[in-house]
Amino acid sequence: MAWENGSSGNGFEVPDVEIKFTKLFINGEFVDAVSGKTFETRDPRTGDVTARIAEGRKADIDLAVKAAREAFDNGPWPRMSGYERGRILHRFADLVERHVEELAVLDTIDAGKLFLMGKIMDIPGGVHLLRYYAGAADKIHGATLKMSQQMQGYTLKEPVGVVGHIVPWNYPTTMFFFKVSPALAAGCTMVVKPAEQTPLSALFYAHLAKEAGIPDGVLNVVPGFGPTAGAALASHMDVDKVSFTGSTEVGRLVMKAAADSNLKPVSLELGGKCPVIVFDDADVDMAVNLVNMAVYANKGEICAAGTRIYVQEGIYDAFVKKAVEAAKKSVVGDPFYPHVNQGPQVDKDQYEKVLKYIDIGKREGATLVAGGKPCGDKGYYIEPTIFTDVKDDMSIAQDEIFGPVMALMKFKTVEEAIQKANNTRYGLAAGIVTKNIDIANTVSRSIRAGTIWMNCYFAFDPDTPFGGYKNSGFGKDMGMDGLEKYLQTKTVVTPIYNSPWF
Ligand code: NAD
């Protein structure tokens, strides 16, 4: 593994960005928290404080929900035509496009993400989501029902109401637009609770939404902590739906809070421990590249990361050798530098959690063949790590580590691969690498997971519904399924001429 801290003098200037928005965004205004309290957001490259952010709690969530309720019950947003909402969403997208660099900087100093990936993927991906759902906003319609007994009916697709969005820190921009774009297109109003580690870009988006013409009260952003702000949103009697992305443990709490309050529907996009199965006929170099991306992209902080790697026995040794070589060549360091492959983990807690799992892996008897150590003299950097001799029941094969740790395992037959891949409480995604179409078809249908990538990985698109099976949750983001969850169906029935009702 190579280390880059900028001392190589490659001439790259870290962009300087002023942090403009640090207050809560409620009813179209940036305001202090009712309590006057603030919290720190830190730069994972150094651990230093970047900004102090107004800390939303129950009283602030109450105000934000009140604004969203008023905007839903009496405001123009749910009542305007889908075409008009779509035009405003396109304007919002235009504004995001104008600030790509600035927004990418915010996500890098908040989450430690690669700046270049933010610039070419995360922020443009948010724009793509906005435009996808802007195009859908005027195509929301129900069905005509041909009933028996001289009755006729139709269904109306109506916005579900006030939505509470609770999101994690690993993709601050993507998670924001996964939630907000379809809910806005549907005509909902909303309160977004960004993760406490990464509030900066969400507040910037709130400002751009106002500039685009989204009416006050429609989109509120309240940063704060989970047990206070998040819990208040999940249990609020005036919130009609909660759309949550985060860990399985917190997803359970959110569902319970929803059940114990007003029985609001929830959608839960939760954790994962995804398998990638590499068959003997695969090109080893291609498979190693694909697996490297599956494990190490975004320093392993991806719910859909493919970290349980099953390699068929015929190519196992060659695969291990090349995977170790690739891990050793990886450049870890400051995520602003264009040639860096891996930045720091998001914060101290996450960094310590990953190192703890590396320790557990060693104690459980797996063999550490690459990485395994922290690096750099400040910040939260960890070497790309590979374990071999991993057994299915080890913690490093079962628990979501959310860091750059690969667990390598060997298998003999297709049946064994399917059995091993399904031996998990999660079911978010899976990867298959083979040129054999029969194997690809059999395995893709046998794995219980919400997304299967064949000879590719992380092939996301606004048109591809994404969400889990099993403990990875339920409800989809993206695609038309991602719009459907912000709509509810009303059936309207009327007698027709000559019916017994006359
Ligand atoms: P987390 O569950 O700790 O936090 C997620 C959000 O929930 C944060 O905003 C947090 O403040 C809030 N929260 C915490 N306690 C709460 C409570 N009691 N009530 C309401 N809200 C509460 O998750 P994280 O550490 O931020 O993110 C990592 C997790 O997210 C991983 O498990 C990852 O797999 C998952 N994730 C899933 C997807 C997906 O699409 N399936 C995408 C990204 C991340």
Side-chain angles (χ1 to χ4, degrees), residues 165-171 175 178-179 193-198 224-235 242 244-251 253-254 257 268-273 301-305 346 350 353 400 402 426 428 460 466-468 472-473 477:
H165 298 294
I166 303 176
V167 295
W169 42 261
N170 61 334
Y171 274 84
M175 292 299 121
F178 264 21
K179 305 289 182 199
K193 210 294 281 167
E196 48 272 38
Q197 297 86 344
T198 55
F225 292 92
T228 47
L233 196 53
S235 61
V242 170
F244 172 81
T245 296
S247 62
T248 299
E249 299 70 44
V250 176
L253 296 178
V254 166
L268 303 176
E269 309 287 344
L270 308 178
K273 186 77 184 176
E301 292 172 348
I302 307 188
C303 51
V346 72
Q350 195 58 31
K353 176 183 163 196
E400 184 186 45
F402 229 54
Y426 293 112
L428 195 52
F460 291 108
F466 177 72
S472 294
D477 282 326

Side-chain angles (χ1 to χ4, degrees), residues 163-333:
V163 181
H165 298 294
I166 303 176
V167 295
W169 42 261
N170 61 334
Y171 274 84
T173 289
T174 310
M175 292 299 121
F176 185 87
F177 287 111
F178 264 21
K179 305 289 182 199
V180 161
S181 328
L184 285 173
C188 293
T189 63
M190 62 211 67
V191 179
V192 182
K193 210 294 281 167
E196 48 272 38
Q197 297 86 344
T198 55
L200 296 179
S201 56
L203 292 171
F204 202 117
Y205 292 126
H207 156 76
L208 296 180
K210 181 171 169 111
E211 204 179 323
I214 293 179
D216 292 351
V218 171
L219 172 61
N220 305 276
V221 177
V222 181
F225 292 92
T228 47
L233 196 53
S235 61
H236 205 292
M237 293 299 284
D238 247 352
V239 170
D240 299 307
K241 181 193 166 69
V242 170
S243 178
F244 172 81
T245 296
S247 62
T248 299
E249 299 70 44
V250 176
R252 270 202 187 92
L253 296 178
V254 166
M255 194 164 171
K256 195 167 182 317
D260 289 345
S261 51
N262 58 346
L263 268 183
K264 58 180 79 63
V266 294
S267 50
L268 303 176
E269 309 287 344
L270 308 178
K273 186 77 184 176
C274 307
V276 181
I277 310 171
V278 182
F279 289 90
D280 273 348
D281 66 340
D283 176 286
V284 177
D285 290 312
M286 176 273 193
V288 167
N289 282 340
L290 182 149
V291 164
N292 257 342
M293 180 182 64
V295 179
Y296 302 126
N298 205 44
K299 9 95 196 200
E301 292 172 348
I302 307 188
C303 51
T307 49
R308 288 188 294 137
I309 313 301
Y310 296 100
V311 183
Q312 204 163 12
E313 57 184 357
I315 58 166
Y316 180 83
D317 291 340
F319 185 98
V320 173
K321 186 166 174 286
K322 291 195 173 199
V324 170
E325 280 165 16
K328 288 188 173 155
K329 271 194 226 143
S330 177
V331 183
V332 180

